[in-house]
Amino acid sequence: MKKVMLMAVAILFSAATVFAAHSTNPVSDTTKTKKVKPVAKIQYTCTMHPEVISDKPGKCPKCGMTLVEKKPVKKKAEPMKM
Ligand SMILES: [Zn+2]
């Protein structure tokens, strides 16, 4: 009876090893899906009219100023220290 248990454990162990090796295998096609890169969307805004946002460069419809690249939102600046 003990032999059967030992064999079961051995099989389980080898199965787990094979599974682990397979899941970490870079050739595994589960990871071959298209890489989705988070594209930083550049937006353009008017320095005078922050509500004007365009996804391409152009001119502000309100004042005609050239739209400037809007920088991605960063961490909030340090709170004011007085
Ligand atoms: Zn403007």
Side-chain angles (χ1 to χ4, degrees), residues 12-74:
L12 263 168
F13 185 78
S14 57
T17 311
V18 167
F19 181 77
H22 180 76
S23 57
T24 50
N25 191 350
V27 186
S28 165
D29 54 3
T30 48
T31 55
K32 270 224 168 144
T33 42
K34 240 194 268 173
K35 261 189 214 167
V36 182
K37 240 193 204 171
V39 179
K41 209 173 174 188
I42 297 170
Q43 289 187 314
Y44 296 85
T45 185
C46 174
T47 47
M48 292 310 198
H49 305 97
E51 73 269 22
V52 174
I53 289 166
S54 174
D55 57 352
K56 49 184 182 284
K59 298 220 160 140
C60 173
K62 291 190 181 180
C63 64
M65 262 177 72
T66 307
L67 299 179
V68 294
E69 227 176 88
K70 196 180 175 186
K71 295 277 183 289
V73 181
K74 276 189 202 164

